[in-house]
Amino acid sequence: MRVPVTDLVGHPGETRALTRAVDPGEFGDAPWGPLVTRVTQEVALDLHLDAVVEGILVRGWIGFTVEVPCARCLEPQHVRRDVDVAELFVDPTRRTAGEDDDPGYELIDDLTAIDLTTMVRDTLVVDLPVRFLCSEACLGLCPVCGTDRNRLDCGHRPGAAPDPRWAVLAELDLPED
Ligand SMILES: [Zn+2]
Ligand SMILES: [Zn+2]
């Protein structure tokens, strides 16, 4: 997602708003990692581009909705996230020789543009929680028969699973106490 910045580069103090709803396909195929099955709506960008001496500072927020399975019952969930961002796109010509820091984001195309794709992708992936639950009270799938226990009580109880290793013990006629 290339954004021209010729009006800003070399004019520290200048600023420009960038508000846009972007089709998730612009960020590549399945850019959100294996956990997230898909981004279901446009990605909302509400950003300011600030010209600074070192390059362009991009700040604001990114809003998106992803479909991910509940970690317990696997039911797809639509999760809305709004993430604050503040990233510097540096002018690579201002980099001093021998500096081998992580280059991060840079101005491209002879300092005429920035590409927001990687920044948006990185921001969203970092923000995703490792575990999504449809509800804290989600009962999950029955470990015995796989029934979604939020929908149906299959009758199996935790600890009552007919584990074959214990079947032999159950057959012993132990005295009750
Ligand atoms: Zn669930
Ligand atoms: Zn069951």
Side-chain angles (χ1 to χ4, degrees), residues 56 141 170:
I56 304 290
L141 300 179

Side-chain angles (χ1 to χ4, degrees), residues 9-29:
V9 171
H11 301 92
E14 293 284 312
T15 190
R16 174 153 56 87
L18 174 74
T19 307
R20 201 175 285 182
V22 185
D23 187 278
E26 283 206 34
F27 301 105
D29 289 335

